[in-house]
């Protein structure tokens, strides 16, 4: 036995934590958890605040996963793809673990935050175990209690962040890794010991995988201890031919890698961009101290009092110093005494603490939340310090904990008045977080107002300010709670797009005298300019005004003429025959097959009403190459309208009818689009997903409606003058059914002498096809393509246009497979949906049709690299270089292909050239 720093004997348990005291300790830990849960839930019950940016953004993700994991989708065949692609920026574990709480408790913010009860239990148990293994049970109990008293912990427990759950999983990882590492000394060759070590190693791999699925930064907290134990295992294998230890740790890491691989493989390209934006760009905006400054290396040290409070930190450090003095005064242990641990407990803790501090100090973007997991190790160290005082000072730890408990209550609840606040803020700076008990914010009323105006469509709100209470995230959150029917996006961020933003959205929110202290002056100017443009344009009306709790006013603006207007039609047959209970299974199908409806005494077949074009309103004559305002009026049953796209060809009179087969640019143009311009409810819950929002029980798919579209089309500039008429075909995107539509008598004259007409923004499909025409023109054009598509992605909140464009382009290509423009459009549609296999297949077709274009071969090479096929990519890149060896981007892709094939020397030479 060796002697601890405080003079107490360390029990040699070899990591075995099962003894007679475990039941007593378990009761104490359960009591600590229950007290924390009561405090958290009491605070949440009093608080009426609205989630700010990050919590609201994460809650949106939780709602997406809640609906995707709904039992009705389990057999859909699409749930596994959604599991990895619903969240591109962050791994999905927080959202997945929150889904059961939303199912059981409801879809509110407090119900999502309830998941922290689970993670608090993990934290309490893990910290207790870590303290017990490293020192003794008493240290573990005190460490668990201290965790609940850390200001940063109790402030984040009542919020919805990834950092607190990550902290608990890192604590669990630390415990399992410690158990495994310490179970190896003294070495035991018994089958039971070997099995235990393997189970611990595999358990570590599983827990490490969970932590990585919570947040990518998990590796920063464990990488150095893993390297340490991995190197030790390697040396043990080399020196003593004992390779089991190395095999165990490699197996554990392999399990973690396999767990994170599906999500990483689906989102690695987005992670590169996210890493830049969240680290370098955010650090520049927030003015964080750089790694090469003293402030950068003292930042987190200065945050310690805020994270743990002055009393706990100072008193515990004094206790540790006292223990060190006593340790130095003691005679050394006999050299023959075998050490109970392969690494001294304090050195083992330092192996976690010091590298973590160094890594996060070197990272540009700094926030006390980012390094939160290291507090679990601090809790063990502080507990050890509090228990290291001499016996006559034993009251010190209880007095310290009593002060910390009082500070927690003063920080969280309106107790003690100004004196209480002054004491709490001095001893625990930055932790004063009283619940907001004022008037509720009107987010729900705003969403209800929009849905009442457009009950059959999804809507997108342009939010001008971005404050903690009024921002795009918490309005999207509220809209998603209403069956994913309303979304919000921040507008006015780019001066070059202010006019386009205003013309592209129908709803805007602004605040009089918003709190924009965190915004730069240029951002404030853009928001004020856009608000003035909305008021002065004459296109908008002020729909409603709310007085906010801070006495400012929230203004909701609506476009006078909405792009899409939907009205139900009377249908006596379906009104009489429709029986939701008997037709539920049939009415869930949006198709055109006859359905059976039960009546009193008879069974009658109901055929969904086919779509027809009832009205067409457009100018008499327009010049080529300019947008043309046009209004279409459609009618039909809801299912046929919702699932319908229309293939519209405007053809010069005197030429053969195109019948979907051809449309020469000098005699024809297309205006294909989905009925309702992609807004008819329900749509996909999020971009690039196959899971649709829940169908409203009040919306009968057989009920007929009229849909009026106010939009614009774009005749090409090369169009010959003449009179043009419309031919139209209906296509059901679900069933594949097609039929020709009768077109009202109407014609449009194209004349170079005609005046251009004022027109709304082009529909998303037309804009998409315009962008796709630039795809084969090289890197510079490609940058503009994605810049334009980035705007469309803001305006179409679920990016339904990508799926609708795919349906339209496939229909066109069936009749005209050699239309290279449509092939490039289909490539872009696949790429935007992250359909790698579809993009590769379509790019191969484009490479055959446009074989002399080096850029198409380069694009094919890039997508093959993205899919992890460097040998196939090399063939495409070789062809691209043979056609044009001067393009630097192709040379870079060539070097990357060599690197992915493992040819480092060739990759280096290519990068150098």
């Amino acid at each position: 036995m060796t002697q601890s720093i405080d003079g107490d004997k360390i029990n040699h348990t070899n990591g075995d934590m099962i003894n007679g005291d475990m039941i007593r300790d378990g009761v104490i830990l359960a009591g600590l958890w229950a007290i924390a849960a009561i405090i958290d839930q009491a605070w949440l019950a009093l608080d009426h605040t609205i989630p700010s940016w990050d919590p609201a953004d994460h809650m949106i993700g939780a709602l997406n996963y809640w609906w995707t994991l709904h039992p009705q989708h389990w057999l859909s065949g699409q749930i596994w793809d959604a599991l990895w692609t619903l969240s591109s920026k962050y791994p999905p574990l927080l959202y997945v673990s929150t889904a059961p709480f939303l199912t059981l408790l409801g879809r509110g913010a407090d119900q999502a935050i309830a998941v922290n009860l689970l993670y608090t239990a993990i934290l309490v148990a893990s910290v207790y175990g870590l303290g017990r293994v490293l020192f003794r049970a008493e240290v573990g109990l005190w460490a668990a209690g201290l965790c609940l008293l850390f200001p940063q912990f109790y402030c984040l427990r009542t919020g919805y962040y990834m950092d607190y759950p990550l902290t608990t999983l890192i604590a669990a990882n630390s415990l399992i890794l410690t158990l495994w590492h310490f179970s190896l000394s003294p070495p035991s060759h018994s089958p039971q010991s070997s099995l235990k070590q393997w189970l611990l190693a595999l358990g570590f791999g599983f827990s490490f995988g969970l932590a990585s699925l919570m947040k990518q930064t998990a590796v920063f907290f464990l990488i150095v201890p893993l390297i340490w134990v991995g190197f030790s295992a390697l040396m043990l294998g080399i020196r003593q031919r004992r390779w089991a230890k190395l095999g165990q740790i490699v197996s554990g890491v392999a399990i973690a890698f396999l767990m994170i691989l599906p999500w990483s493989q689906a989102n690695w390209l987005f992670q590169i961009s996210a890493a830049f934006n969240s680290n370098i760009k955010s650090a520049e905006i927030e003015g964080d101290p750089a790694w090469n400054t003293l402030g950068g290396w003292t930042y987190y040290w200065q945050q310690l009092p805020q994270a743990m409070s002055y009393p706990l930190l100072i008193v515990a450090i004094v206790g540790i110093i006292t223990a060190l003095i006593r340790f130095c005064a003691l005679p050394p242990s006999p050299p023959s005494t075998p050490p109970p641990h392969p690494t001294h407990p304090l050195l083992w803790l330092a192996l976690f603490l010091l590298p973590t501090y160094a890594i996060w100090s070197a990272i540009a973007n700094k926030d006390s939340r980012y390094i939160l997991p290291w507090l679990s190790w601090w809790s063990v160290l502080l507990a050890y310090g509090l228990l290291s005082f001499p016996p006559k000072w034993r009251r010190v730890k209880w007095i310290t904990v009593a002060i910390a408990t009082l500070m927690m209550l003063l920080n969280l609840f309106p107790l003690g008045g100004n004196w209480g606040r002054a004491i709490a803020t001095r001893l625990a700076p930055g932790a004063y977080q009283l619940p907001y008990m004022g008037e509720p914010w009107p987010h729900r009323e705003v969403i209800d107002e929009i849905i009442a105006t457009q009950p059959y469509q999804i809507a997108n709100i342009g939010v001008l300010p971005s404050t903690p209470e009024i921002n795009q995230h918490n309005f999207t959150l509220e809209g998603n709670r209403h069956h994913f029917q309303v979304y919000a996006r921040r507008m006015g961020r780019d001066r070059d797009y202010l006019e386009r933003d205003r013309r592209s959205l129908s709803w805007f929110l602004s605040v009089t005298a918003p709190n924009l202290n965190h915004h730069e002056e240029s951002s404030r100017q853009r928001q004020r300019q856009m608000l003035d443009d909305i008021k002065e344009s004459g296109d908008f009306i002020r729909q409603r005004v709310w007085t906010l709790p801070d006495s400012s006013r929230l203004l909701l603006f609506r476009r006078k003429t909405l792009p899409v207007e939907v009205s139900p039609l009377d249908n006596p047959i379906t009104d009489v025959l429709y029986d939701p209970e008997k037709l539920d299974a049939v009415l869930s199908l949006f198709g055109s097959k006859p359905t059976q409806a039960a009546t009193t005494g008879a069974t009658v077949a109901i055929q969904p009403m086919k779509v027809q074009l009832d009205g067409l309103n457009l100018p008499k004559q327009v010049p080529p190459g300019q947008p043309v305002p046009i209004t279409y009026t459609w009618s039909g049953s809801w299912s046929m309208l919702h699932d319908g796209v229309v293939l519209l060809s405007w053809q010069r009179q005197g030429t053969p009818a195109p019948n979907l087969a051809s449309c020469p640019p000098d005699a024809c143009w297309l205006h294909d689009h989905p009925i309702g311009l992609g807004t008819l409810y329900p749509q996909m819950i999020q971009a690039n997903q196959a899971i649709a929002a829940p169908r409203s029980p009040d919306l009968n798919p057989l009920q007929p409606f009229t849909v009026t579209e106010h939009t614009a089309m774009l005749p090409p500039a090369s169009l010959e003058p003449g009179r043009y008429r419309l031919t139209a075909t209906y296509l059901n995107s679900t069933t594949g059914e097609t039929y020709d539509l009768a077109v009202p008598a109407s014609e449009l004259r194209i004349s170079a002498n005609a005046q251009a007409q004022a027109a709304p923004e082009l529909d998303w499909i037309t804009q998409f096809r315009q962008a796709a025409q630039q795809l084969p023109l090289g890197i510079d054009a490609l940058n503009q393509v994605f810049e334009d598509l980035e705007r469309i992605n803001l305006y179409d909140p679920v990016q339904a246009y990508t799926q609708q464009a795919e349906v339209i382009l496939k229909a066109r290509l069936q009749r005209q497979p050699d239309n290279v423009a449509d092939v490039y459009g289909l490539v872009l549609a696949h790429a935007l949906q992250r359909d790698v296999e579809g993009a590769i297949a379509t790019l191969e077709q484009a490479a055959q049709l446009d074989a002399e274009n080096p850029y198409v071969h380069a694009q094919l090479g890039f997508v093959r690299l993205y899919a992890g096929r460097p040998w196939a990519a090399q063939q495409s890149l070789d062809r691209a270089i043979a056609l044009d060896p001067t393009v630097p981007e192709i040379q870079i892709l060539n070097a990357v292909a060599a690197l992915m094939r493992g040819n480092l020397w060739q990759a280096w030479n290519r990068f150098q050239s």
Side-chain angles (χ1 to χ4, degrees):
M1 298 292 182
T2 61
Q3 205 156 13
S4 67
I5 292 180
D6 63 354
D8 295 328
K9 299 289 184 180
I10 298 178
N11 294 325
H12 182 56
T13 62
N14 284 330
D16 188 359
M17 304 194 315
I18 303 176
N19 56 47
D21 294 334
M22 289 292 289
I23 296 178
R24 179 207 65 187
D25 292 354
V27 171
I28 294 174
L29 294 175
L32 291 172
W33 175 86
I35 292 171
I38 291 171
I39 292 173
D40 295 348
Q41 295 307 303
W43 190 94
L44 290 171
L46 295 173
D47 183 56
H48 301 153
T49 193
I50 199 78
S52 62
W53 298 283
D54 286 356
D57 193 24
H58 291 315
M59 289 178 188
I60 292 168
L63 278 176
N64 286 336
Y65 276 91
W66 161 77
W67 176 241
T68 300
L69 296 173
H70 198 272
Q72 75 181 68
H73 301 134
W74 288 357
L75 301 179
S76 67
Q78 299 153 339
I79 192 170
W80 288 109
D81 287 338
L83 193 64
W84 307 122
T85 59
L86 263 174
S87 174
S88 299
K89 185 177 180 181
Y90 296 108
L93 182 59
L94 175 62
Y95 311 136
V96 172
S97 62
T98 305
F101 290 85
L102 297 179
T103 300
L104 295 174
L105 305 177
R107 302 194 298 274
D110 291 356
Q111 288 77 11
I113 295 171
V115 73
N116 287 340
L117 296 174
L118 167 65
Y119 289 110
T120 296
I122 295 174
L123 178 66
V124 167
S126 300
V127 168
Y128 162 78
L130 193 60
R132 183 185 180 100
V133 172
L134 290 177
F135 301 103
R136 58 187 187 277
E138 187 181 11
V139 174
L141 289 173
W142 276 79
L146 292 183
C147 273
L148 304 179
L149 294 176
F150 283 175
Q152 201 157 19
F153 279 163
Y154 60 66
C155 285
L156 286 181
R157 288 203 309 264
T158 53
Y160 193 71
Y161 297 92
M162 288 185 164
D163 308 275
Y164 181 71
L166 176 65
T167 296
T168 69
L169 295 178
I170 293 297
N173 275 264
S174 307
L175 171 61
I176 299 174
L177 186 63
T178 301
L179 285 169
W180 174 80
H181 182 60
F182 285 7
S183 70
L184 301 174
S185 180
S188 173
H189 302 288
S190 67
Q192 295 85 355
S193 177
S194 178
L195 176 62
K196 177 182 177 181
Q197 291 167 10
W198 273 103
L199 290 176
L200 286 172
L202 299 180
F204 169 77
F206 179 72
S207 65
F208 189 22
L210 290 178
S212 301
L213 285 172
M214 178 61 67
K215 199 172 183 181
Q216 310 92 310
T217 56
V219 67
F220 293 156
F221 297 94
L222 298 170
I223 183 65
V224 172
L226 276 175
I227 293 174
W228 175 279
V229 297
F231 182 77
S232 300
L234 178 62
M235 290 298 98
L236 184 66
I238 293 174
R239 293 172 182 172
Q240 302 182 21
R241 303 299 178 186
R242 292 171 52 197
W243 298 102
K245 184 177 179 181
L246 182 62
Q248 291 164 9
I249 197 64
V250 169
S251 299
V253 173
I255 289 174
F257 175 77
L258 292 175
M259 289 176 65
I260 192 66
L261 181 62
W263 180 83
S264 300
Q265 198 169 24
N267 300 284
W268 68 267
L269 191 60
F270 298 91
Q271 293 306 295
I272 296 173
S273 174
F276 173 80
N277 290 330
S278 63
N279 186 29
I280 300 174
K281 190 174 180 180
S282 295
E284 292 176 354
I285 294 173
E286 297 169 4
D288 293 333
W291 68 271
N292 56 354
T293 64
L294 180 62
W297 289 94
T298 60
Y299 179 88
Y300 288 111
W301 178 257
Q302 294 170 349
Q303 294 288 324
L304 283 180
Q306 179 178 333
M308 294 182 285
S309 79
Y310 279 110
L312 289 177
L313 184 62
I314 293 174
V315 175
I317 289 178
V318 171
I320 293 173
I321 293 173
T322 302
L324 286 171
I325 295 173
R326 293 171 55 205
F327 176 76
C328 293
L330 291 174
S333 301
S336 59
T337 304
H341 296 315
T343 308
H344 192 282
L346 292 181
L347 292 178
W348 181 251
L349 279 178
L351 191 62
F352 287 90
L353 286 167
L354 297 180
T356 295
Y357 186 89
I359 290 171
W360 282 101
S361 296
I363 292 175
N365 192 17
K366 293 180 171 60
D367 191 291
S368 57
R369 282 193 292 115
Y370 300 157
I371 201 172
L372 193 71
W374 83 325
L375 294 184
S376 61
W377 307 320
W378 271 102
S379 68
V380 176
L381 189 61
L382 296 191
Y384 179 79
L386 288 178
L387 295 173
S388 296
F389 285 100
K392 62 181 179 179
W393 291 356
R394 291 192 183 277
R395 292 182 180 179
V396 170
K397 61 179 180 290
W398 292 107
I399 295 173
T400 304
V401 167
I403 294 173
T405 304
L406 177 62
M407 284 190 303
M408 177 178 67
L409 297 176
L410 293 176
N411 275 319
L412 293 180
F413 299 100
L415 306 171
N418 292 333
W419 282 99
R421 178 175 183 176
I423 294 172
T425 53
R426 288 292 180 88
L427 296 181
Y432 194 68
Q433 184 174 285
L434 297 185
Y436 168 73
M437 295 183 286
E439 292 297 320
W441 293 79
H443 291 60
R444 179 172 298 180
E445 296 179 30
V446 173
I447 300 302
D448 289 342
E449 182 74 20
I450 294 173
I451 292 177
T453 305
Q454 293 182 287
Y456 307 109
Q457 301 169 250
I458 64 169
N460 192 17
I461 316 171
V463 182
L464 295 185
S466 184
T467 68
E469 296 81 15
I470 303 294
N471 61 69
Q472 66 276 22
H473 297 308
N474 50 36
F475 275 101
T476 297
L477 173 63
E478 194 60 47
N480 284 5
R481 286 188 187 133
H482 287 65
H483 305 296
F484 304 92
Q485 195 165 354
V486 181
Y487 297 79
R489 298 292 182 263
R490 185 180 172 190
M491 292 294 146
R493 302 183 68 174
D494 192 325
R495 188 174 298 278
D496 294 337
Y497 292 103
L498 294 184
E499 174 68 13
R500 187 173 176 184
D501 290 351
R502 181 184 63 79
R503 289 171 51 86
S504 298
L505 293 185
S506 299
W507 297 93
F508 283 95
L509 273 173
S510 183
V511 178
T512 61
N515 178 16
L516 299 178
N517 293 332
H518 51 283
H519 286 206
E520 57 186 9
E521 180 58 30
S522 60
S523 176
R524 303 183 197 182
Q525 291 176 356
R526 288 193 301 270
Q527 293 174 30
R528 287 193 292 264
Q529 179 181 337
M530 190 164 188
L531 179 58
D532 291 340
D533 291 343
I534 290 171
K535 292 178 179 179
E536 296 170 2
S537 67
D539 296 331
F540 289 84
I541 61 172
R542 196 166 66 181
Q543 176 94 356
R544 192 169 170 187
V545 179
W546 290 267
T547 299
L548 299 179
D550 61 2
S551 298
S552 61
R553 293 190 305 160
L554 181 67
L555 312 177
L556 177 63
F557 295 91
R558 175 179 67 83
R559 187 174 295 279
K560 288 180 180 179
T561 301
L562 293 170
V564 178
E565 298 170 327
V566 183
S567 301
L569 295 175
D570 293 334
N571 188 353
I573 296 179
T574 55
D575 289 344
V576 172
L577 299 181
Y578 175 52
D579 184 344
E581 294 182 356
K582 297 180 181 179
L583 285 179
D584 183 66
V586 175
L587 296 180
S588 66
L589 299 175
F590 283 179
S592 61
K593 296 180 180 179
T595 60
Q596 298 291 317
T599 66
T600 56
T603 301
V604 180
I606 301 175
Q607 176 72 33
M609 175 182 171
K610 284 192 173 184
V611 170
Q612 58 189 24
L613 177 57
D614 297 324
L616 192 62
N617 187 14
L618 71 164
K620 294 297 182 182
Q621 65 175 0
V622 294
Q626 296 295 323
V628 179
I630 186 169
T631 297
Y632 300 98
T633 301
W634 313 92
S635 64
S637 65
W638 183 254
S639 65
M640 299 290 281
L641 291 167
H642 177 276
D643 291 343
V645 297
V646 283
L647 305 173
L648 307 179
S649 301
W650 287 85
Q651 181 193 4
R652 185 159 54 88
Q653 294 186 32
T655 58
N659 193 26
L660 293 181
S662 64
C663 188
D666 60 344
C668 177
W669 78 88
L670 306 177
H671 196 206
D672 307 335
H673 63 269
I675 296 175
L677 306 180
T679 67
L680 301 186
Y681 183 82
Q683 292 292 329
M684 304 300 110
I685 61 173
Q686 186 177 292
N688 307 319
Q689 296 300 315
I691 304 294
R695 178 173 59 86
S696 172
D698 300 328
L699 188 60
N700 180 355
L702 298 179
Q703 174 73 32
F705 284 78
T706 62
V707 176
T708 302
E709 304 165 348
H710 305 284
T711 183
M713 57 185 174
L714 185 63
S718 59
L719 205 63
E720 292 185 4
R723 299 180 183 276
Y724 288 76
R725 296 200 62 171
L726 174 66
T727 60
T729 300
Y730 171 87
L731 167 63
N732 191 295
S733 60
T734 299
T735 66
E737 177 187 11
T738 63
Y739 53 83
D740 293 334
L741 295 171
V743 177
S746 180
E747 68 177 22
L748 177 63
R749 182 182 177 192
I750 299 295
S751 172
N753 298 323
Q755 288 188 341
Q757 303 287 315
E761 284 293 289
L762 298 170
D763 62 277
W764 310 143
I765 298 297
T766 299
Q767 292 191 37
F768 169 83
R769 295 180 89 158
Q770 289 292 112
Q773 292 179 15
Q774 310 301 312
L775 202 60
L777 301 183
I779 299 300
D780 293 337
L782 197 62
N783 291 335
Q784 185 60 48
V785 167
F786 286 103
E787 224 175 278
D788 289 338
L789 293 176
E790 184 180 358
R791 305 312 300 178
I792 302 177
N793 291 344
L794 283 175
Y795 307 145
D796 181 356
V798 296
Q799 298 170 32
Y801 75 93
T802 59
Q803 297 168 333
Q804 295 152 359
E806 179 182 357
V807 171
I808 290 169
L809 291 167
K810 284 182 175 179
R812 290 289 182 183
L813 286 168
Q814 282 181 354
R815 303 307 204 284
Q816 193 180 7
D818 294 337
N819 188 325
V820 68
D822 283 349
V823 172
Y824 276 115
L826 191 56
V827 167
L828 193 56
H830 286 310
L832 292 174
Q833 295 177 74
R834 291 188 278 177
D835 179 2
V836 176
E837 297 302 325
I840 289 175
T842 316
L843 273 169
E844 289 172 348
Q845 183 181 357
Q848 293 177 356
L849 296 174
D850 196 12
E852 299 305 311
N853 187 337
Y855 298 111
V856 66
H857 298 285
Q859 291 162 7
L860 178 57
F862 171 78
V863 178
R864 284 172 167 171
L865 287 176
Y866 180 87
R869 304 171 189 173
W871 284 271
Q874 189 63 63
Q875 298 176 9
S876 301
L877 294 173
D878 288 343
R879 176 62 176 159
I881 292 173
L883 291 170
D884 189 347
T886 65
V887 181
E889 289 81 5
I890 298 179
Q891 297 291 349
I892 292 174
L893 290 175
N894 197 29
V896 171
L899 184 64
M900 292 180 65
R901 296 196 324 272
N903 195 330
L904 301 182
W905 177 252
Q906 189 180 72
W908 173 257
N909 288 333
R910 289 177 178 178
F911 273 121
Q912 291 296 318
S913 60

